[in-house]
Amino acid sequence: MIDYKSLRKIDPLLFNILQAEVRRQSDGLELIASENYVSTAVLEALGTVFTNKYSEGYPGKRYYGGQENTDQIETIAIERAKTLFKCDHANVQPLSGAIANTAVYFSWLEPGDTVLGMRLDHGGHLTHGSPVTKLAKLFNFVRYGIDTETGDIDYNQLRDIALKNQPKLILVGYSAYTRDIDYGFVKSVADEVGAVAWADIAHIAGLVAAGEMRNPFDYGFQIVSTTTHKTLRGPRGGMILTKGVVSNPLKNVEKKVENLPTLIDRTVFPGLQGGPLMNIIFAKAVAFQEALQPEFKEYAKQVMRNAKVLAQELTNLGFKLVTGGTENHMMIIDAIASFGLSGGELEVLLDKIGLTASKSMVPDDTRSPFDPSGLRIGTPAITTRGMKEDSMLQIAKWIRHVVDIRHDERQIQLLRDEVREYVRNFPLPS
Ligand code: DSN
């Protein structure tokens, strides 16, 4: 392992902050559904000399010399990604999930074109058409939501809006939704209106790769975008995968048919990005190798088992969960409906005892996104630390207990000590 001797010497201020962050991560528990702890191998891969290298272009076609090693690592990352997700094209260069999604829009659409995506306040992502994004100024987003009675995506509404608005892209995927997706139905709607079907699986990528949740490509989806750092447990970054060669007649240049994989590659570079971060691509390749191992399948199963137990125990203890439970790695507590606390208040309370979570909107939330009604929690990171069902019962009890003692700082401090003591048995993997 790196001993950070040089960092300590050159920049003690930052070294101290690093140490504090290591302490924060190891003394508490990460319940943010979109975070995870990378392995030592991934962490080592991030801190390599590949960070020194410019590699604009793609393997075999670069704009700088000295690419004999970078070409190999990017090719390996691509091949592993294709195997993991059962597809035939992968672009591993996007710097983030938001950039990956932006690249998909620019690959396939002209300004003003219509996209059907999920409402942010019903669980979609900012980049799926939220009016606050620059994307929403360029493209015409129409949005579906969930059926608040059933908690499921309102598939009938999705189809009605698609038929009415004839989108060129239909996008499914979410940041705060606890069910799997009926990709078969969505693809049939996309076929009906001649749209390309696209899934953003950022949250569930690891669960899809492990075969524990549906793979959109099995249902004919043409595009999948994702981040690599959530359930997939790699370095922070994005990726775009495609299957099949769909050509876009609108994008024909000099009578050459432009197909989807080519358009995506050209949009990522040189369309949006310059040099890819090769140390990150190196680390992505390492994470993909880890995800291909049988142990990763067991990990994904445990993430989902843990989520079910945690959701059930929270419910037993009086918390109200959006959709009543979970089919994936996350759950959303309706904090207002449960105990009259806002999501923000519960987040702060949990922080005080070393449990990190993120406030979240609940469907049709009447509160502001800065202090919404819900709190989202997830099990990917705590499962990486080796926690199993019995720890989920313990965590649920802590969450309930801190609500009860919220006005008693001394008791909160005692509970903080108890959490710190307990998590010592579950060291960080790296
Ligand atoms: N920010 C991520 C999340 O927490 O869901 C999505 O990009």
Side-chain angles (χ1 to χ4, degrees), residues 77 85 111 126 170 229 270 361 407:
F85 293 96
L126 271 174
I170 298 184
H229 50 271
M361 308 275 275
H407 301 301

Side-chain angles (χ1 to χ4, degrees), residues 49-293:
V49 292
F50 283 113
T51 196
N52 297 336
K53 192 75 199 96
Y54 251 125
S55 303
E56 286 179 10
Y58 290 100
K61 195 171 174 232
R62 306 275 192 191
Y63 292 84
Y64 294 79
Q67 306 291 347
E68 59 269 37
N69 301 314
T70 42
D71 273 4
Q72 282 186 65
I73 60 167
E74 187 166 350
T75 304
I76 291 169
I78 289 168
E79 291 308 315
R80 288 178 181 169
K82 282 160 52 180
T83 308
L84 268 177
F85 293 96
K86 298 193 277 177
C87 61
D88 49 38
H89 188 80
N91 188 309
V92 296
Q93 294 193 2
L95 304 178
S96 70
I99 296 284
N101 287 352
T102 303
V104 174
Y105 293 118
F106 280 102
S107 302
W108 202 244
L109 305 177
E110 299 298 333
D113 280 351
T114 300
V115 186
L116 175 56
M118 191 172 183
R119 284 169 57 171
L120 178 68
D121 62 335
H122 279 212
H125 188 252
L126 271 174
T127 57
H128 296 186
S130 165
V132 301
T133 60
K134 298 293 178 202
L135 289 167
K137 307 214 172 348
L138 266 181
F139 304 111
N140 173 39
F141 284 95
V142 287
R143 283 175 285 272
Y144 60 90
I146 67 167
D147 175 340
T148 41
E149 291 294 305
T150 64
D152 256 339
I153 287 172
D154 189 337
Y155 289 100
N156 291 329
Q157 182 196 51
L158 183 152
R159 180 168 179 271
D160 289 346
I161 298 176
L163 292 178
K164 186 161 165 238
N165 294 278
Q166 300 288 308
K168 294 217 167 89
L169 281 172
I170 298 184
L171 168 59
V172 292
Y174 48 79
S175 280
Y177 179 68
T178 56
R179 302 251 167 96
D180 209 342
I181 290 176
D182 187 346
Y183 297 109
F185 180 84
V186 177
K187 179 64 166 68
S188 72
V189 174
D191 289 345
E192 238 181 312
V193 301
V196 164
W198 166 21
D200 174 350
I201 61 164
H203 262 266
I204 55 171
L207 309 178
V208 171
E212 294 303 309
M213 292 191 78
R214 294 177 195 132
N215 183 338
F217 287 130
D218 290 342
Y219 300 84
F221 269 56
Q222 293 106 328
I223 309 176
V224 166
S225 60
T226 184
T227 52
T228 47
H229 50 271
K230 298 186 174 89
T231 47
L232 194 51
R233 215 163 58 180
R236 305 194 77 78
M239 170 162 75
I240 308 169
L241 310 162
T242 63
K243 188 163 180 182
V245 177
V246 202
S247 59
N248 187 338
L250 298 173
K251 293 244 175 178
N252 282 357
V253 178
E254 294 164 2
K255 298 209 178 73
K256 196 166 135 252
V257 173
E258 299 290 345
N259 65 59
L260 189 53
T262 313
L263 286 166
I264 283 175
D265 281 353
R266 212 179 290 152
T267 306
V268 172
F269 175 83
L272 285 172
Q273 293 187 177
L277 305 182
M278 292 315 293
N279 60 320
I280 305 247
I281 289 177
F282 188 48
K284 284 176 181 172
V286 173
F288 299 160
Q289 175 71 352
E290 290 178 345
L292 284 164
Q293 305 310 309

Side-chain angles (χ1 to χ4, degrees), residues 22 25-30 37 306 381-392 394-395 398 418-430:
V22 171
Q25 291 194 15
S26 46
D27 288 358
L29 283 182
E30 193 50 76
Y37 305 105
N306 281 350
I382 51 180
T383 306
T384 294
R385 283 178 85 154
M387 292 192 160
K388 298 226 157 56
E389 288 85 337
D390 52 336
S391 296
M392 300 307 115
Q394 179 61 73
I395 291 169
W398 285 330
E418 185 183 322
V419 171
R420 190 180 291 110
E421 195 53 38
Y422 185 92
V423 305
R424 277 214 179 105
N425 301 315
F426 302 92
L428 293 183
S430 47

